[in-house]
Amino acid sequence: MALLLYQRDHCHLCDQALAALAAARAPDFESVFIDDDAALEARYGLRVPVLRDAAGERELDWPFDAARVRAFLAAR
């Protein structure tokens, strides 16, 4: 499963999302910072952090906790 976490630099919600992913023991994921990408900024601007399952093209918008992350991962 290819997981991406869309986030921003200096984002306290993104820090909380990282903690939720750690608590859920999520598999490895790639952090994608949207700050310098106009297309990603347009798509994810106010929504970050967003966890994306690139293979299944599903997204989990903030807010989420460890339980929601586990449910998202289990539904693949």
Side-chain angles (χ1 to χ4, degrees):
M1 171 184 249
L3 291 176
L4 306 171
L5 179 65
Y6 291 100
Q7 61 187 56
R8 294 181 180 281
D9 287 323
H10 313 293
C11 169
H12 75 280
L13 296 178
C14 300
D15 294 339
Q16 292 176 21
L18 290 168
L21 289 167
R25 297 185 182 194
D28 289 339
F29 59 90
E30 179 182 345
S31 289
V32 179
F33 292 88
I34 70 167
D35 301 290
D36 296 325
D37 186 312
L40 291 177
E41 179 69 41
R43 182 172 181 175
Y44 293 105
L46 296 176
R47 293 175 50 204
V48 294
V50 175
L51 182 63
R52 178 174 171 81
D53 168 6
E57 297 186 13
R58 299 176 310 122
E59 295 179 341
L60 179 62
D61 286 6
W62 185 259
F64 52 80
D65 58 11
R68 288 198 60 211
V69 170
R70 284 191 292 270
F72 178 78
L73 296 173
R76 48 186 167 146

